[in-house]
């Protein structure tokens, strides 16, 4: 028994697959290239049936590399050193009745056969007889992929370069006194401006918690509560709060409130309810980077971009919608709906009434769904007022409301991302019913439901909170846009969200994603601000950056602005700035310490785990 | 499979339309019967007693006392509110470091130190429900299959199959050997699946078993683990009842067996939860503990879909780190479970009803085969309807657990107080004695429309429970599976 010897078959993305049709000692056919490569790498003898050879043009095949290659013996049992690795690319094989009959030496430990093959769709008939490796124990059965395709593909989208910024921050987080040269986190859409209000409320409402002397009597009932409808008080309070946030112009029915694990879970849930694998949703660009994971990874649905431009302030037009839809139809993709984020992340703007009505008539005409992500509804800090899709369908009863679904959350509006309160509010009864069953996979902790129910039911507190929150967001927004304007940096004119959409097109050497990435790396590495480049939001135009402004205190804001100011003054006004910016090795050597030394902010260290972090560790940003 | 034309014009997904959530199974009618007419010692003494809910309500006094003594553990007390902000914004999907450490330690403690757990392998998810689904998403593709010994937890069909598209292949255990899982059964199930050209990805064991209330022995686990190793299959162990073992033989975790058996750690995964062992199902603490790095990584990313509220993480981190308290809790909890178990077993024995000899879980596996008209699932359902409608006990029929042998029922005993237990036993007593008094009674209650008209009121009235035990659950019309995990 040779425990360490394994054979893996993988496809071109490195995903393990289990779909080769292989039978031991049966004549069949195989590409000569594959046969050759296998022979070279592991000394396997491969029998080819000449009459049945693969039919593709021979030059279509190529072996690209054979890694960790060791001189093989060409006998039936070859001498192969541990970790022999074969890499064969671009083999659209016609492995119709392929036979691979080969044998590995007893001392092989790791054989990696890498096939790039789209068309193989046959099952391993009898893995145990494969490779006539009965004596090899471990080898013989390792020809199946161990994990699922989801586990081995990149559907979680965390490996995109965008998230390097998070890593840069995590490696070297700013602290006013302990690490004044550190990276300032401006990639995190958190709302930290109103916690004093919440804490004050908690102290004066001890009975709202099941973990205080005053509330512990309820502990038992609450700890046991796992009804997936949610605590009635919780649903009532959330429904009321949603109405309140929308200026009480619309009412929400508590019986339609479906819980899920944050907006992340809510998006996945609604997709599972609406779409089959391969189905698609249209989504205007730029859009939240996590959508690819949330809507597509496990559901196998797709997102198709509706391209928006700065020329009309990234407005979602009927024309753009129709174009995207037509394109999908042409590609024979079944479009199941349209996903709108209102207020927009990353734009910080809201959709106006005409746009919403246009979208409604569009989806009605096509008979597709409309998912409205309104998780930033209460972050609107100045005119014009937020208009919910709920208002639009109230106004016009002609619209088919069975097609409309709202995603909500308390992560942004109240600033409680840790509590994982995600809501699907659907006007479609079947979706409510199905979604409720799915909420079993990500219910909100009953302890949290109970607390939130009390808090959101306190009208007076909520009134004060919403007013104060909007006021503080407006102040922060103004401080920032003013500061940027002073150095000639413009932002998209926004009135909502926890971020700015900053226009640095003027600083790009050319209008390409590469130039944007180069500038962004400079901002991260030299200016030490973790902002997010537009490309990560699938923005069609290079040069835009999302800058989060509500996850820090005033002192840190000043430091961030000072850094930007210095950056622009030292570089931006020089005639050759563009060339300079393009050089990725340019170090600006700003003397931040001087500026930072005068700041003695209270501790704002990240509360996050000190272990090496993955970039998307925050589930929603 | 639906015709393409149907699929194309359907507004909702196949998942939404296919009923794979399993809630329409007749089994759940019992829940509905309870929800319509829940027992209350004074307000509704004729109501249905809920014995279909595997909740552990016996040790809340200990937790409540601890909470009173540890105000800093909560972010909602004057002593703890200073942490509110940091906790409320915490959404790192690794979880609070102190939470993972506390869970890892607790898992080791429950296994009496025979295995240690690495906090960095603790992956959070929304309850055991979410944990099971997440793990399956990591291990298997649509159409792949897992072998699972039956009887098994009914909601596995939802948790493991519904959205993943994965199949479960039950292999039957029966009373001839006290429902022991054997290697031979598994081997033959595997061979059959291979023959049918099914891609078997692994085996799922529930240890201690729900619904049987027994542990898997070390020998069994060893042989099954060797088998999965040999066939290169995943071994998924659901150990959510591990701290409910109340008498010997002691619980053996797969984590312990792994250390002594030749195996591939990359293939071993444990599902854990605090819903049963601590009795906190509302907090939705589900854990995936995998020995496979890639699964840890992938599942962590998937945990974004069902993280545990940071408020609950924070509280539990403190609670589980308090060794003195945990020691006391586990000891007292298992003592109380043992006592309750004995009481119910004895009460049933007096009426000539046997149960599978169990040593774990929050339920009994009750043998009513002698009351069946004939050994068929239909006869089992008939008897079960009588128990629900006339005896007014919501127990769960074996068929809902995919039990191949009719006549067994799962009876939960830890979700009620002592008085309710006595009422339940009294009802059974009356039911059985009525049956015995009258030779042809059996025939009678087999008739669907026969009402036994017990005078339950009389016996119930003598019982005035000190504690309100009304269901804390919502008064809205309920779906049978509303509790995410039972």
């Amino acid at each position: 028994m040779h425990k360490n010897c394994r054979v893996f078959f993988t496809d071109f993305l490195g995903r393990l697959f289990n779909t080769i049709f292989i039978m031991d000692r049966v004549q069949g056919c195989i590409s000569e290239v594959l046969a050759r490569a296998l022979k070279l790498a592991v000394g396997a003898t491969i029998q080819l049936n000449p009459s049945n050879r693969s039919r593709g043009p021979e030059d279509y095949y190529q072996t690209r590399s054979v890694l960790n290659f060791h001189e093989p013996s060409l006998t039936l049992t070859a001498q192969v050193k541990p970790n022999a690795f074969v890499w064969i690319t671009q083999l659209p094989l016609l492995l119709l009745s392929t036979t691979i009959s080969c044998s590995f030496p007893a001392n092989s430990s790791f054989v990696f056969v890498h096939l790039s093959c789209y068309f193989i769709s046959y099952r391993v008939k009898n893995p145990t007889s494969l490779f006539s490796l009965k004596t090899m124990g471990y080898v013989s059965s390792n020809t199946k992929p161990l994990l699922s395709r989801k586990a081995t593909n990149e559907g979680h989208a965390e490996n995109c370069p965008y998230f390097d910024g998070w890593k840069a921050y995590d490696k070297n987080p700013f602290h006013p006194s302990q690490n004044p040269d550190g990276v300032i986190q401006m990639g995190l859409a958190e709302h930290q401006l109103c916690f004093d209000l919440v804490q004050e409320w908690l102290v004066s409402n001890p009975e709202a918690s099941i973990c205080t002397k005053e509330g512990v009597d309820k502990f038992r009932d609450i700890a046991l509560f796992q009804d997936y409808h949610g605590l009635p008080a919780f649903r009532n309070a959330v429904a009321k709060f949603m109405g309140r946030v929308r200026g009480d112009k619309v009412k929400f029915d508590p019986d339609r409130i479906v819980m899920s694990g944050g907006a992340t879970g809510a998006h996945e849930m609604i997709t599972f309810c609406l779409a089959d694998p391969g189905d698609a949703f249209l989504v205007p660009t730029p859009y939240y980077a996590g959508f690819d994971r949330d809507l597509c990874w496990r559901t196998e649905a797709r997102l198709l971009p509706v391209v928006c431009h700065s020329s009309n302030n990234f407005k979602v037009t009927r024309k753009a919608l129709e174009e995207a839809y037509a394109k999908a139809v042409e590609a024979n993709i079944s479009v199941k709906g349209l996903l709108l984020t209102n207020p927009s992340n990353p734009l910080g703007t809201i959709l106006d009434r005409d746009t919403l009505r246009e979208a409604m008539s569009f989806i009605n005409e096509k008979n597709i769904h409309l998912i409205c992500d309104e998780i930033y509804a209460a972050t609107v800090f100045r005119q014009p007022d937020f208009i919910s899709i709920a208002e639009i369908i109230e106004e016009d009863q002609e619209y088919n409301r069975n097609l409309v679904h709202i995603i909500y959350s308390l992560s942004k509006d109240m600033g409680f991302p840790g509590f994982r309160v995600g809501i699907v509010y659907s006007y479609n009864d079947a979706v409510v019913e199905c979604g409720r069953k799915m909420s079993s996979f990500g219910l909100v902790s009953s302890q949290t439901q109970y607390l939130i129910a009390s808090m959101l039911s306190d009208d007076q507190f909520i009134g004060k909170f919403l007013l104060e929150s909007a006021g503080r967001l407006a102040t922060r927004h103004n401080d920032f846009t003013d500061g940027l304007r002073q150095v000639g940096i413009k932002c998209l004119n926004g009135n909502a969200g926890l971020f700015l959409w900053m226009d640095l097109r003027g600083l790009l050497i050319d209008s390409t994603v590469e130039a944007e990435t180069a500038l962004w790396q400079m901002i991260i590495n030299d200016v030490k601000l973790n902002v997010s480049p537009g490309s990560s939001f699938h923005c069609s135009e290079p040069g835009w950056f999302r800058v989060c402004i509500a996850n820090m205190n005033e002192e840190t804001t000043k430091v961030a602005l000072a850094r930007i100011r210095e950056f622009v003054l030292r570089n931006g006004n020089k005639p050759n700035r563009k060339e300079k910016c393009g050089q990725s090795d340019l170090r600006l050597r700003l003397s931040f310490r001087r500026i930072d030394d005068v700041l003695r902010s209270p501790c704002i260290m990240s509360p996050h785990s000190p272990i090496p972090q993955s970039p998307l560790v925050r589930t929603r940003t | 499979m639906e015709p393409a034309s149907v699929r194309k014009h359907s507004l909702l997904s196949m998942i939404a339309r296919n009923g794979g959530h399993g809630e329409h199974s007749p089994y759940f009618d019992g829940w509905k019967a309870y929800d319509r007419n829940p027992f209350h010692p004074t307000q509704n003494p004729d109501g249905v007693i809920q014995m279909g809910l595997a909740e552990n309500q016996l040790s809340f006094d200990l937790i409540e006392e601890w909470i009173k003594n540890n105000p800093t553990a909560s972010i909602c007390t004057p002593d703890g509110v200073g942490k509110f902000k940091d906790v409320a914004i915490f959404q790192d999907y690794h979880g609070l470091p102190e939470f993972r450490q506390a869970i890892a330690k607790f898992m080791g403690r429950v296994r009496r130190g025979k295995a240690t757990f690495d906090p960095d392998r603790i992956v959070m998810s929304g309850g055991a429900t979410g944990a099971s689904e997440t793990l399956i998403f990591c291990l298997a593709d649509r159409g792949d299959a897992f072998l699972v010994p039956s009887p098994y937890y009914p909601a596995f069909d939802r948790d493991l199959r519904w959205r993943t598209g994965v199949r479960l292949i039950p292999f039957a255990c029966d009373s001839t050997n006290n429902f022991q899982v054997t290697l031979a059964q598994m081997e033959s199930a595997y061979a059959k699946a291979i023959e049918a050209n099914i891609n078997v990805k692994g085996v799922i064991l529930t240890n201690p078993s729900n619904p049987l209330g027994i542990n898997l022995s070390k020998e069994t686990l060893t042989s099954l683990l060797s088998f999965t190793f040999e066939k290169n299959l995943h071994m998924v162990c659901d150990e959510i009842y591990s701290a409910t073992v109340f008498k010997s033989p002691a619980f053996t975790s797969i984590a312990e067996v792994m250390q002594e058996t030749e195996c591939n750690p990359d293939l071993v995964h444990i599902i854990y939860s605090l819903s049963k062992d601590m009795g906190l199902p509302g907090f939705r603490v589900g854990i995936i503990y995998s020995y496979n790095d890639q699964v840890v990584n992938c599942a962590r990313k998937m945990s974004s879909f069902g993280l545990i509220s940071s408020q609950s993480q924070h509280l539990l981190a403190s609670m589980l780190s308090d060794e003195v308290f945990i020691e006391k809790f586990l000891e007292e909890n298992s003592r109380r479970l043992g006592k309750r178990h004995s009481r119910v077993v004895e009460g049933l024995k007096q009426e000539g009803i046997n149960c599978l000899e169990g040593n774990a879980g929050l339920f009994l596996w009750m043998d009513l085969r002698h009351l069946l008209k004939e050994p068929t699932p239909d006869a089992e359902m008939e008897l079960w309807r009588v128990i629900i409608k006339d005896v007014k006990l919501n127990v769960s029929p074996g068929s809902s657990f995919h039990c191949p042998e009719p006549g067994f029922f799962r009876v939960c005993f830890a979700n009620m107080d002592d008085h309710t237990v006595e009422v339940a036993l009294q009802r059974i007593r009356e039911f059985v004695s009525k049956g015995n008094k009258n030779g042809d009674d059996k025939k009678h209650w087999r008739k669907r429309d026969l009402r036994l008209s017990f005078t339950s009121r009389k016996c119930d009235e003598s019982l005035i429970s000190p504690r309100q035990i009304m269901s804390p659950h919502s008064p809205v019309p309920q779906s049978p599976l509303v509790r995410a995990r039972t």
Side-chain angles (χ1 to χ4, degrees):
Chain A
M1 188 75 94
H2 298 277
K3 273 204 283 181
N4 296 321
C5 185
R6 308 176 180 200
V7 179
F8 296 108
F9 281 87
T10 71
D11 71 2
F12 68 107
L13 284 178
R15 299 181 296 197
L16 297 166
F17 71 85
N18 64 336
T19 48
I20 310 177
F21 184 86
I22 298 169
M23 285 191 299
D24 192 21
R25 297 175 200 285
V26 174
Q27 294 295 312
C29 80
I30 188 168
S31 151
E32 279 182 341
V33 181
L34 174 59
R36 210 159 51 223
L38 278 173
K39 193 177 221 171
L40 283 176
V42 296
T45 299
I46 296 175
Q47 299 167 5
L48 297 178
N49 182 342
S51 65
N52 234 348
R53 222 179 302 185
S54 48
R55 279 149 278 182
E58 199 58 32
D59 60 353
Y60 195 14
Y61 308 136
Q62 51 175 285
T63 56
R64 209 185 68 178
S65 55
V66 178
L67 305 178
N68 207 355
F69 170 73
H70 294 277
E71 189 59 42
S73 149
L74 297 176
T75 57
L76 195 70
T77 46
Q79 295 300 308
V80 181
K81 288 274 172 67
N83 302 325
F85 189 100
V86 191
W87 179 296
I88 308 167
T89 57
Q90 295 189 7
L91 277 175
L93 293 178
L94 302 165
L95 288 173
L96 292 175
S97 53
T98 299
T99 294
I100 303 176
S101 171
C102 58
S103 162
F104 293 92
N107 64 347
S108 333
S109 77
F110 213 81
V111 183
F112 221 87
V113 183
H114 203 112
L115 303 173
S116 163
C117 192
Y118 306 89
F119 310 125
I120 303 173
S121 58
Y122 303 89
R123 291 197 166 278
V124 173
K125 256 293 188 204
N126 186 354
T128 50
S129 73
L130 180 62
F131 293 126
S132 54
L133 290 176
K134 283 182 188 123
T135 56
M136 303 295 295
Y138 205 43
V139 176
S140 59
S141 45
N142 246 319
T143 49
K144 293 196 300 182
L146 274 186
L147 306 185
S148 68
R149 283 191 292 272
K150 289 183 180 74
T152 43
N153 70 17
E154 295 285 315
H156 50 76
E158 285 194 20
N159 294 338
C160 90
Y162 153 65
F163 294 110
D164 291 345
W166 293 74
K167 292 176 195 155
Y169 168 75
D170 284 329
K171 278 202 289 278
N172 181 24
F174 171 80
H175 185 273
S177 55
Q178 287 161 31
N179 191 21
D181 270 358
V183 175
I184 297 178
Q185 175 60 287
M186 304 185 92
L188 190 57
E190 278 177 0
H191 184 6
Q192 300 188 8
L193 304 184
C194 294
F195 275 108
D196 55 327
L197 304 178
V198 177
Q199 281 166 326
E200 189 188 303
W201 184 87
L202 287 167
V203 172
S204 40
N205 292 275
E207 72 292 340
S209 161
I210 55 172
C211 295
T212 55
K213 280 198 181 69
E214 293 81 356
V216 74
D217 289 346
K218 288 270 178 191
F219 186 88
R220 177 182 306 233
D221 285 352
I222 297 304
L224 284 172
F225 186 88
Q226 53 173 325
D227 180 339
Y228 60 34
H229 292 86
L231 287 168
F234 172 76
R235 275 184 294 132
N236 289 336
V238 169
K240 202 163 138 198
F241 181 73
M242 285 176 71
R244 179 90 186 241
V245 165
R246 285 151 189 81
D248 284 324
K249 286 180 222 156
V250 276
K251 275 203 156 46
F252 293 91
D253 176 358
D255 288 342
R256 292 193 179 279
I257 300 278
V258 176
M259 278 187 291
S260 61
T264 297
H267 274 293
E268 189 190 51
M269 178 199 284
I270 193 72
T271 310
F272 266 126
C273 288
L274 303 181
D276 294 322
D279 290 350
F281 288 90
L282 303 179
V283 50
T285 63
Y287 64 83
Y288 167 55
F291 278 163
D292 294 312
R293 172 195 62 191
D294 300 353
L295 283 96
C296 305
W297 186 23
R298 305 199 305 186
T299 64
E300 299 171 51
R302 287 187 272 191
L303 293 181
L304 302 175
V306 176
V307 180
C308 302
H309 302 278
S310 63
S311 55
N312 62 353
N313 293 323
F314 298 96
K315 207 169 147 62
V316 183
T317 62
R318 180 68 179 254
K319 187 167 161 277
L321 291 175
E322 294 286 356
E323 276 170 14
Y325 187 83
K327 226 167 140 183
V329 169
E330 201 174 300
N332 205 18
I333 296 170
S334 157
V335 175
K336 281 314 266 283
L338 167 66
L339 168 62
L340 295 177
T341 313
N342 182 29
S344 163
N345 173 11
L347 299 175
T349 55
I350 60 171
L351 297 176
D352 59 30
R353 193 173 299 272
D354 289 343
T355 304
L356 286 168
R357 293 183 61 89
E358 203 64 71
M360 271 311 290
S361 77
F362 170 75
I363 63 122
N364 269 268
E365 203 173 281
K366 311 288 188 220
N367 197 33
I368 58 175
H369 295 276
L370 177 59
I371 303 173
C372 256
D373 178 340
E374 299 189 348
I375 67 169
Y376 288 95
T379 64
V380 177
F381 49 82
R382 66 167 182 241
Q383 295 290 316
D385 286 339
F386 173 68
I387 303 164
S388 168
I389 197 70
E391 218 176 301
I392 303 296
I393 57 177
E394 285 305 322
E395 286 167 4
D396 194 337
Q397 301 292 330
E398 291 293 292
Y399 294 132
N400 179 2
R401 51 175 68 198
N402 275 322
L403 298 173
V404 179
H405 322 277
I406 297 174
I407 302 296
Y408 194 53
S409 153
L410 298 182
S411 301
K412 309 303 179 184
D413 284 358
M414 293 294 293
F416 301 156
F419 291 1
R420 314 309 302 147
V421 179
I423 303 294
V424 174
Y425 189 92
S426 174
Y427 290 89
N428 183 317
D429 293 342
V431 170
V432 170
E433 203 185 311
C434 179
R436 241 192 240 310
K437 295 185 175 94
M438 289 190 185
S439 52
S440 303
F441 298 110
L443 294 173
V444 180
S445 168
S446 55
Q447 181 193 13
T448 301
Q449 287 185 49
Y450 187 77
L451 174 70
I452 295 290
S454 283
M455 194 184 291
L456 298 188
S457 308
D458 184 338
D459 284 336
Q460 210 187 337
F461 166 71
I462 290 302
K464 180 176 150 198
F465 179 92
L466 291 175
L467 200 65
E468 192 63 31
S469 167
R472 293 182 192 184
L473 282 172
T475 306
R476 175 61 58 84
H477 190 269
N478 289 340
D479 288 352
F480 229 97
T481 43
D482 285 350
L484 292 175
R485 198 178 300 122
Q486 282 168 19
V487 291
I489 297 175
K490 283 189 188 137
C491 295
L492 184 70
N493 190 21
N495 68 329
L498 308 170
F499 29 71
L500 306 165
W501 190 236
M502 181 169 71
D503 180 2
L504 297 185
R505 283 177 296 172
L507 296 179
L508 296 187
I509 38 171
D510 51 37
S511 183
T512 63
V513 174
E514 289 72 33
E516 178 182 283
T517 306
L519 174 59
W520 171 69
Q521 271 159 1
M522 176 177 283
I523 298 174
I524 293 259
N525 295 329
D526 300 327
V527 194
K528 297 220 166 93
L529 302 177
N530 178 29
V531 297
S532 311
S535 58
S536 60
F537 301 95
H538 304 260
C539 184
S540 59
E541 256 170 69
W544 295 88
F545 292 81
R546 190 189 76 169
V547 183
C548 294
I549 54 172
N551 60 327
M552 61 192 73
N553 61 17
E554 218 163 300
E555 284 78 7
T556 310
T557 309
K558 283 180 187 155
V559 178
L561 277 171
R563 289 186 185 182
I564 294 172
R565 205 170 298 132
E566 289 227 19
F567 171 65
V568 175
L569 291 178
R570 285 185 182 221
N571 300 272
N573 295 334
K574 289 178 191 165
N576 60 346
R577 66 181 163 86
K578 283 194 178 180
E579 286 81 347
K580 276 213 163 175
C581 281
Q583 293 165 16
S584 60
D585 56 348
L586 177 74
R587 310 291 296 185
L588 290 181
R589 294 193 199 81
L590 299 176
S591 55
F592 297 131
R593 188 175 300 277
R594 199 175 46 75
I595 309 164
D596 295 342
D597 275 347
V598 300
L599 297 167
R600 291 278 175 264
S601 149
C603 174
I604 54 151
M605 278 293 274
S606 161
H608 305 293
S609 124
I611 61 173
Q613 282 189 328
S614 150
L616 255 179
V617 289
R618 283 96 189 173
T619 50
R620 182 97 187 180
T621 60
Chain B
M1 199 67 180
E2 299 159 308
S5 58
V6 172
R7 210 186 74 71
K8 199 167 179 193
H9 298 291
S10 291
L11 271 183
L12 305 188
S13 67
M14 281 184 283
I15 289 173
R17 302 194 309 276
N18 69 10
H21 48 77
E23 287 193 22
H24 298 314
S25 114
Y27 154 65
F28 296 109
D29 291 345
W31 293 73
K32 291 177 197 155
Y34 168 77
D35 283 329
R36 272 199 300 270
N37 181 23
F39 171 80
H40 185 272
T42 52
Q43 288 162 31
N44 191 21
D46 268 356
V48 175
I49 296 178
Q50 175 60 289
M51 303 185 95
L53 190 56
E55 278 178 358
N56 183 1
Q57 303 190 8
L58 302 185
S59 303
F60 274 113
D61 54 327
L62 305 177
I63 296 178
E64 284 162 3
E65 189 193 316
W66 184 87
I67 283 172
K68 281 183 210 157
N69 295 334
N70 292 273
T72 50
S74 161
I75 52 173
C76 297
T77 59
D79 301 296
V81 75
K83 295 246 177 180
F84 186 88
K85 176 184 159 189
D86 284 353
V87 170
I89 62 174
F90 186 89
Q91 54 172 325
D92 180 340
Y93 59 34
H94 292 87
L96 287 168
E98 57 271 27
F99 172 73
R100 274 185 293 130
Q101 275 150 21
I103 291 273
K105 207 161 129 198
F106 181 73
M107 286 175 72
R109 168 67 192 79
V110 166
R111 285 151 190 83
R112 302 172 325 286
K114 293 198 176 160
T116 52
F117 295 89
D118 176 358
D120 288 343
R121 292 192 178 281
I122 301 280
V123 176
M124 282 186 289
S125 59
T129 297
S132 307
E133 189 195 49
T134 298
L135 186 57
I136 297 299
F137 267 126
C138 290
L139 302 182
D141 294 317
R142 228 162 262 283
D144 290 349
F146 282 83
L147 303 176
V148 50
S150 70
Y152 66 83
Y153 169 56
F156 271 169
D157 293 329
R158 172 194 63 191
D159 299 354
L160 306 171
R161 297 189 328 185
W162 188 26
R163 305 198 304 185
T164 64
V166 161
R167 288 188 276 186
L168 293 182
I169 302 179
F171 61 95
C173 303
D174 59 36
S175 62
T176 52
N177 66 347
N178 290 325
F179 293 95
Q180 295 297 316
V181 181
T182 66
L183 181 59
Q185 292 159 342
M186 191 191 279
E187 273 173 339
S188 96
Y190 179 73
K192 255 187 232 159
I194 295 296
E195 206 166 294
N197 209 12
I198 294 169
N199 188 29
V200 177
K201 285 306 281 274
V203 173
I204 295 164
L205 299 178
T206 312
N207 182 30
S209 162
N210 174 10
L212 299 174
I214 55 176
N215 299 348
L216 293 172
S217 71
K218 195 176 209 170
E219 294 68 37
T220 306
L221 283 169
T222 306
S223 68
L224 300 180
L225 185 61
S226 296
F227 175 78
T228 55
F229 168 58
E230 194 186 309
K231 300 293 182 204
N232 203 35
L233 299 173
H234 290 282
M235 167 64 88
V236 177
C237 269
D238 178 337
E239 300 189 347
I240 67 168
Y241 288 97
S242 51
T244 65
V245 178
F246 47 80
K247 69 178 184 216
S248 63
F251 171 68
T252 307
S253 167
I254 196 74
E256 192 184 329
V257 174
M258 276 175 77
Q259 297 163 6
E260 300 155 16
T261 312
E262 189 180 36
C263 70
N264 176 3
D266 279 352
L267 295 171
V268 182
H269 323 275
I270 296 172
I271 300 288
Y272 194 53
S273 153
L274 298 182
S275 301
K276 310 303 180 183
D277 284 359
M278 293 291 295
L280 305 172
F283 288 11
R284 311 312 300 144
V285 178
I287 302 294
I288 296 162
Y289 190 90
S290 172
Y291 292 89
N292 182 320
D293 294 343
Q294 216 179 338
V295 171
V296 170
N297 273 332
C298 176
R300 235 194 246 310
K301 293 183 177 96
M302 288 188 183
S303 60
S304 305
F305 299 112
L307 293 175
I308 301 162
S309 167
S310 53
Q311 183 192 13
S312 300
Q313 285 186 52
H314 182 75
L315 175 73
L316 292 169
S318 291
M319 194 186 292
L320 299 184
S321 309
D322 184 339
E323 288 181 43
V324 178
F325 167 71
I326 288 302
E327 200 67 26
K328 180 177 150 200
F329 178 89
L330 290 174
E331 206 170 291
E332 182 63 20
N333 183 48
S334 92
R335 196 188 64 78
R336 292 181 189 182
L337 283 173
K339 193 175 154 213
R340 174 62 62 84
H341 182 264
S342 311
R343 173 68 196 114
V344 180
V345 169
E346 269 163 37
L348 291 172
K349 201 177 280 165
Q350 279 167 17
E351 306 311 319
I353 297 173
N354 289 321
C355 295
L356 181 70
E357 193 169 326
N359 67 324
L362 308 171
F363 29 70
L364 301 164
W365 191 236
M366 180 170 72
D367 179 0
L368 296 185
R369 282 177 298 171
H370 59 291
L371 296 181
L372 293 188
K373 187 168 61 172
E374 57 189 18
T376 63
D378 287 347
E380 178 182 285
M381 288 307 285
E382 207 177 314
L383 174 57
W384 173 68
R385 276 188 211 106
V386 173
I387 298 174
I388 291 262
K389 287 188 183 150
D390 300 327
V391 194
K392 295 214 169 105
L393 302 178
N394 178 29
V395 298
S396 313
S399 57
S400 60
F401 300 93
H402 302 260
C403 183
E405 210 177 345
F408 287 90
F409 292 80
R410 190 188 76 166
V411 183
C412 295
F413 59 74
N415 60 326
M416 59 194 73
D417 60 14
D418 289 339
H419 299 282
T420 309
V421 171
E422 294 307 324
V423 177
L425 285 172
Q426 178 62 26
R427 289 186 186 180
I428 292 170
R429 204 168 296 139
E430 295 218 16
F431 169 63
V432 174
S433 64
K434 271 222 159 163
N436 290 342
K437 245 183 267 165
N438 206 329
D440 55 359
D441 240 1
K442 276 196 186 183
K443 272 171 230 148
H444 273 183
W445 53 253
R446 266 176 226 129
K447 288 178 191 160
R448 190 173 293 236
D449 54 351
L450 177 73
R451 309 293 297 185
L452 290 182
S453 27
F454 289 141
T455 52
S456 320
R457 190 176 298 274
K458 191 175 55 65
C459 55
D460 293 344
E461 273 170 358
S462 64
L463 297 166
I464 305 297
S465 158
R467 232 186 75 75
Q468 226 237 14
I469 56 152
M470 277 294 274
S471 161
H473 307 291
S474 119
V476 299
Q478 282 188 328
S479 150
L481 255 180
V482 289
R483 284 95 189 174
R485 181 100 184 178
T486 60

